[in-house]
Amino acid sequence: MQRLLIKSAIAIAAISTALFSANAAFAEQDNKPGTDATYIGAGVSAGVTNGGQTGDAATFGGNIQGRFAVPEAPVSVRGAILFSDETSALMPIVSYDIPITNNANVYVGGGYSFVEADGQPTPLGNRNSVVLTAGAEAQFGDSIIVYGDTKWGIDAYQNSSADALSFQGGVGYKF
């Protein structure tokens, strides 16, 4: 568990550094605040919590995430799939997007996690739950997006009142 936490912290630090130290790349773009990119991406996902029961251990896996930017509005419709080697959790999410610099946003949002095989571990618990998320995304060039976020699954483990927490990072393609 400790090694997973260390790897997660390193991944978050690397993603944060890429997002917030790339001002030169942003300056070459069209100098608008934030990004209105609609994209799909893939990366890693690390669950860092344990539900306290057998089979509830923190789980490392992957993610597929996408964003549909609502035109002329500070909200987006997002979708995420967090998967392990046993099953996946599907999440529709609505977010509020806050521009922080040219071509970069932070966002907060909420949705619901649907676990495909109830009781099997995903990076965000092993049962359906309400999900809150916070993250950042940045656009590089015309079509590359780098993203990272944290997802909090409320009461996300069977036979336990424990919440789940996972960290995601990845690279997307704007279309």
Side-chain angles (χ1 to χ4, degrees), residues 24 71 100 134 138:
I100 56 171

Side-chain angles (χ1 to χ4, degrees), residues 9-171:
I10 291 169
I12 295 299
I15 290 167
S16 297
T17 301
L19 288 174
F20 298 111
S21 68
N23 286 335
F26 299 142
E28 294 174 11
Q29 304 210 357
D30 53 22
N31 292 324
K32 64 180 176 170
T35 179
D36 60 356
T38 294
Y39 66 86
I40 188 159
V44 297
S45 185
V48 295
T49 53
N50 183 322
Q53 307 291 318
T54 302
D56 286 352
T59 302
F60 186 79
N63 76 74
I64 299 171
Q65 297 195 140
R67 173 187 186 227
F68 174 77
V70 177
E72 306 300 321
V75 296
S76 295
V77 177
R78 297 174 185 270
I81 302 171
L82 305 186
F83 56 89
S84 68
D85 59 349
E86 296 186 44
T87 193
S88 59
L90 309 167
M91 290 166 235
I93 296 171
V94 175
S95 69
Y96 181 77
D97 308 326
I98 305 158
I100 56 171
T101 186
N102 294 339
N103 294 308
N105 298 330
V106 293
Y107 57 89
V108 294
Y112 202 78
S113 172
F114 298 94
V115 175
E116 286 188 300
D118 214 25
Q120 298 300 312
T122 74
L124 195 65
N126 65 5
R127 79 169 179 184
N128 299 347
S129 67
V130 172
V131 174
L132 301 177
T133 188
E137 59 202 356
Q139 181 176 336
F140 294 89
D142 290 335
S143 59
I144 301 299
I145 304 292
V146 176
Y147 64 87
D149 69 18
T150 300
K151 289 186 174 38
W152 174 26
I154 299 171
D155 195 21
Y157 291 99
Q158 283 188 344
N159 304 317
S160 172
S161 61
D163 294 345
L165 186 68
S166 67
F167 299 105
Q168 288 66 235
V171 177

